[in-house]
Amino acid sequence: MLEADLHKKLRDFPLDIDLQVRCGEILILMGENGAGKSTVLNLISGLLAPDSGSIRLNGRDLYRSGTGTGVPAEARRIGYVLQNSAAFPHLSAAGNIAYGMRANHMPKDKIPERVDHWLGAMDIRPLAGVKAGSLSGGQKQRVAIARALAVEPELLMLDEPFTGLDAGSRDSIRELVRTFTTEMKIPCIVVTHQISDSRDIADRACVISRGTIQWTGAPDQVQNGLNGIH
């Protein structure tokens, strides 16, 4: 389980978030642009440091103010697909997946087998040698998700993973996220602007406004939460 109590002074308002995500659960974060959704992911991942609070993943402290606990981003065992940077364009599909494992110091002799496994799991094995810059949007997202999952993370986070995809690619990527979150029994956080994403894959939804959670509830009721912030 992920438990995060996050406090950060942003330019226009303070971020004050307290959330939990269970293993195998997909939590959707929604809200207006600039509400603090991506900041939440960056704080959990270690790309940003909170001003105070705590982050605990499967019983392990990743950050705790006042104690000096602050696990580096590369040691947090988090698979993170950032917005607008799905895959490294200069690397092949296989190279992208291998990069994540090398960065996490996986034994070199295990990497080729793991790369092949995830190419097959994402149904992109024929694209192994193709540079990511030449792939379609849906193919790039498959590569990015494979790279994130290949490191055997304890948490998966995706920032706007379905933006810019055609309907068919959107549906297939949603299904992959749902399938592997369930199979790997890891918590998953997805930032999105699409109500249909909440309805189709989430177990729970949160609406954030100006750095605080304004509403939490069932995915098919998220419109009620969004209406409350206008």
Side-chain angles (χ1 to χ4, degrees):
M1 174 185 286
L2 170 73
E3 303 165 86
D5 174 25
L6 306 170
H7 306 274
K8 180 75 173 178
K9 182 64 175 72
L10 305 181
R11 184 181 62 182
D12 298 321
F13 50 80
L15 184 140
D16 183 4
I17 295 286
D18 188 357
L19 58 82
Q20 295 183 352
V21 192
R22 296 182 298 273
C23 293
E25 179 184 37
I26 295 178
L27 174 69
I28 290 282
L29 295 184
M30 301 190 72
E32 70 272 25
N33 287 335
K37 303 182 300 297
S38 296
T39 300
V40 169
L41 301 191
N42 288 335
L43 290 169
I44 293 171
S45 70
L47 296 181
L48 289 176
D51 293 329
S52 63
S54 62
I55 304 169
R56 190 171 177 83
L57 179 59
N58 292 336
R60 181 170 60 113
D61 282 338
L62 302 184
Y63 171 83
R64 185 170 295 276
S65 59
T67 67
T69 301
V71 177
E74 64 273 13
R76 293 194 176 195
R77 296 202 62 188
I78 294 174
Y80 187 10
V81 178
L82 285 78
Q83 185 178 8
N84 300 324
S85 58
F88 303 126
H90 63 290
L91 295 179
S92 67
N96 265 274
I97 299 171
Y99 179 91
M101 288 184 281
R102 292 192 185 100
N104 280 265
H105 309 294
M106 184 171 286
K108 291 182 179 180
D109 60 336
K110 290 187 176 181
I111 291 177
E113 180 181 354
R114 296 293 297 168
V115 168
D116 185 67
H117 167 80
W118 282 104
L119 287 168
M122 293 291 166
D123 197 24
I124 52 174
R125 191 171 276 128
L127 304 174
V130 179
K131 287 190 176 181
S134 301
L135 301 177
S136 69
Q139 291 168 341
K140 289 177 183 176
Q141 285 294 45
R142 286 172 181 261
V143 170
I145 294 170
R147 186 181 65 212
L149 292 175
V151 301
E152 300 177 346
E154 295 181 12
L155 167 68
L156 177 64
M157 301 195 302
L158 306 103
D159 195 353
E160 299 285 359
F162 316 116
T163 299
L165 302 182
D166 59 67
S169 295
R170 176 183 287 269
D171 289 344
S172 65
I173 297 300
R174 282 175 179 162
E175 184 177 351
L176 288 170
V177 172
R178 175 77 270 177
T179 295
F180 287 110
T181 297
T182 301
E183 288 185 357
M184 298 177 73
K185 296 181 175 63
I186 56 176
C188 177
I189 304 175
V190 178
V191 166
T192 181
H193 283 92
Q194 298 295 324
I195 292 175
S196 59
D197 295 335
S198 177
R199 183 183 63 243
D200 291 347
I201 70 166
D203 297 296
R204 193 159 46 93
C206 288
V207 174
I208 296 178
S209 178
R210 293 186 63 81
T212 62
I213 295 176
Q214 299 292 323
W215 179 91
T216 301
D220 59 355
Q221 299 296 314
V222 72
Q223 184 65 65
N224 295 336
L226 292 169
N227 291 340
I229 65 173
H230 296 309

